[in-house]
Amino acid sequence: MGFSRQDLSPTVTHSLRRLLHELGGTFSHEHLRGYIERWRGKPLRLEEDTMPPGMTGYAIALRDCDLIATRRGLTKTQKKITQLHEMAHFINGDLPLYSHGEATAGYRQFLRQQQRHNDVTSRQRFFDTFDDMVERNAETLARILANIITAHAQNESLVLSDLLEGD
Amino acid sequence: MSLPRIVLITVALTILVIYSIKLRRNAERISGNAIFKFVLGGLLLPLHPMLRSVDNHSLVIDGIATLSQYYSMVFVHLGALQLRQNKAYISITKNRLFLWVTAISVVMIGLIAIDGANFASFSDNEPFNPTLWYYLFYGINYGLIFTISLAILVTFNNETYTHSEAKKAIWWYLGPLCIVFLACGMGAMFINVLFSAAGNTTYKTNLNALYDLCKLLFAVAFGIFAILPLIPKALLNRLFRPIEQLIAKRISTHNRLIAQLHQTITPLVPGVRFDGTFRSRDDQLTEIADCWLMIWTHTDHTGYRSAAKKAQLLMELSHEKRVFTDFGLLEPPIMPSDEIRDSVSVAKHLTRVGLYA
């Protein structure tokens, strides 16, 4: 995979240990989403949104749901990694239950705001983002999660084929 | 009997025989009941063209010919469904498709009864009396055949054979291909019936020929599709080894080209590189796409739609030693849906112009 234990920060190691305990060695994207929803006690919406140049995705903890939005028109891999990056923020505990405390908007109210991209946790790749430890941890976790999900899909397919094709 | 019909029946009977032998050999509890359905379908299958070719058309003959066509397909579908669901028994009379077909068959028999012996096969260019009942009969007939064929196709589709790249390719291409042939054939016949009902018979022969061709292609594609799971694993692996090797070689070439493109493009946007190293192909593809996003906020993308143009732009930016550290004001375009093909094409162009050794 390319990561060694020494590369991982305590935050990422802690998140991975929790995931291993809760979901096992490999898991699907849906399992991961379900885990975040259970953990935070509200639905996690994955959507697309228009956003300023440079921003590929954002996450925000709203009153009635958590929202992850990716930029419209990304490539499949870019979208997958961006979603995982934002999910990693939730798993690492970077976002509180409500992003703006008592003033946090609900989903519908948030979408009506013109300037909604200003106060969100966003994945912007072009300001030496990865010098920021929080962003670096989220990106590290996202890339590990991508590998785990790929391995899960491959293993599942192998197990099924061995079971059903073995005659 | 026409060639497509002979091929169709031969392919169908071969599949049924192989399925039955395989089931018997496995001596599974499931086999008896599933074989019964396959045998029933196999017996009814040739009845339709045989009865159609007789000179004397009557309500009984046309009725049996029509019903045998539908029920042969329904029984094959039920046999396959039983295999798919790994059930020892599936009731024929409680199956929804069977009940639908039975209900529509009653309507079809009614239409035959109303119009007497006027049911010369529409697709065989035989002379017929163009009545409303005749067109109604063939309109419903093709709709029903399309529905049952689609049900059979979906039932035969087995996703457990997708772990190998070659087999995956076969399933991915053959399944949709069967649907395309089926839709084209049935579409041609629907248009043909509509045209004919409106008094335009100019294209009747051509549309019938298209229908026959689609039927033939469907039979061949579906034959391969259905027989694949019955071939022993060892033989299948041996058969697919050359294709597996070709695919592995192709993937390896793609990976090399993507890595080269990654090495070319990321110095232009150093901010996208995570740890300055690349770890997997997905990481490289993400970083390549991030680079393009950044570049398109500075460069009007409309002039760089083709891979050749994109390669040329990269060459120019590399020669100018441009480095993007902040995004521009332009709105980036929708990124390519097939990012691997796009990246590989750009890298190939860069190879052609001699950027890579």
Side-chain angles (χ1 to χ4, degrees), chain A residues 73 77 80 125-126 136 143, chain B residues 272 275 282 290 325 335 339:
Chain A
T77 320
K80 182 178 77 181
R125 306 291 310 276
F126 315 115
R136 189 181 173 75
R143 297 203 182 196
Chain B
V272 302
D275 261 356
D282 273 7
D290 282 344
T325 53
M335 303 295 277
E339 58 204 307

Side-chain angles (χ1 to χ4, degrees), chain B residues 148-215:
Chain B
I148 307 173
S149 305
L150 213 57
I152 292 176
L153 199 59
V154 171
T155 313
F156 266 93
N157 179 26
N158 190 336
E159 288 165 11
T160 56
Y161 286 82
T162 55
H163 74 284
S164 130
E165 287 296 331
K167 283 177 229 166
K168 202 191 296 180
I170 295 286
W171 286 109
W172 280 358
Y173 289 121
L174 276 181
L177 209 61
C178 288
I179 293 176
V180 167
F181 291 145
L182 191 63
C184 282
M186 291 306 162
M189 282 326 271
F190 273 124
I191 294 168
N192 208 357
V193 169
L194 282 176
F195 270 18
S196 183
N200 183 352
T201 51
T202 322
Y203 308 107
K204 187 169 185 291
T205 317
N206 291 340
L207 286 169
N208 275 343
L210 177 64
Y211 171 68
D212 281 342
L213 178 69
C214 288
K215 208 158 67 173

Side-chain angles (χ1 to χ4, degrees), chain A residues 55-113:
Chain A
M55 191 190 271
T56 52
Y58 67 78
I60 185 162
L62 298 168
R63 188 160 286 280
D64 46 1
C65 68
D66 289 326
L67 173 66
I68 289 177
T70 49
R71 183 185 188 81
R72 247 177 224 133
L74 295 181
T75 65
K76 261 184 275 179
T77 320
Q78 211 176 9
K79 184 176 171 180
K80 182 178 77 181
I81 294 283
T82 305
Q83 280 182 348
L84 289 174
H85 175 101
E86 302 307 339
M87 282 172 147
H89 276 304
F90 286 114
I91 297 165
N92 286 342
D94 300 334
L95 278 92
L97 195 59
Y98 301 131
S99 283
H100 303 126
E102 284 303 306
T104 302
Y107 172 71
R108 285 175 185 281
Q109 194 189 346
F110 172 76
L111 284 191
R112 279 198 294 268
Q113 293 169 11

